[in-house]
Amino acid sequence: MASKIENPFSSRFVLPEQRELYLQMKEDDKLVPMPILEQDELESLQYIIRDAAREDMLLPFLGGSK
């Protein structure tokens, strides 16, 4: 049997606020966590962005290509 925390709709009455909060929590569970980058990876990205800005290039990881 699922607990009421996992499925609040198992009880007979659910307030609209409770339903909204539950649905928001389920939506938040679908989000992909941000990756944790090491210092050298951050510096590498910084150089790529800086060089692209200097040479007026589009960044490939932002969907651009030139």
Side-chain angles (χ1 to χ4, degrees), residues 1 3 8 10 13 15-16 23 32 35 37-42 44-45 47-48 51 55 59 62:
M1 183 173 147
S3 70
S10 64
F13 297 105
L15 294 174
L23 294 176
V32 176
L37 299 176
E38 298 293 328
Q39 185 65 30
D40 60 334
E41 294 172 310
L42 288 173
S44 175
L45 286 173
Y47 286 123
I48 292 170
D51 291 343
E55 299 177 21
L59 298 172
L62 295 178

Side-chain angles (χ1 to χ4, degrees), residues 1-14 18 22 25:
M1 183 173 147
S3 70
K4 289 185 180 183
I5 292 174
E6 293 173 5
N7 185 4
F9 301 114
S10 64
S11 65
R12 186 170 179 145
F13 297 105
V14 177
Q18 291 172 322
Y22 174 75
M25 287 172 45

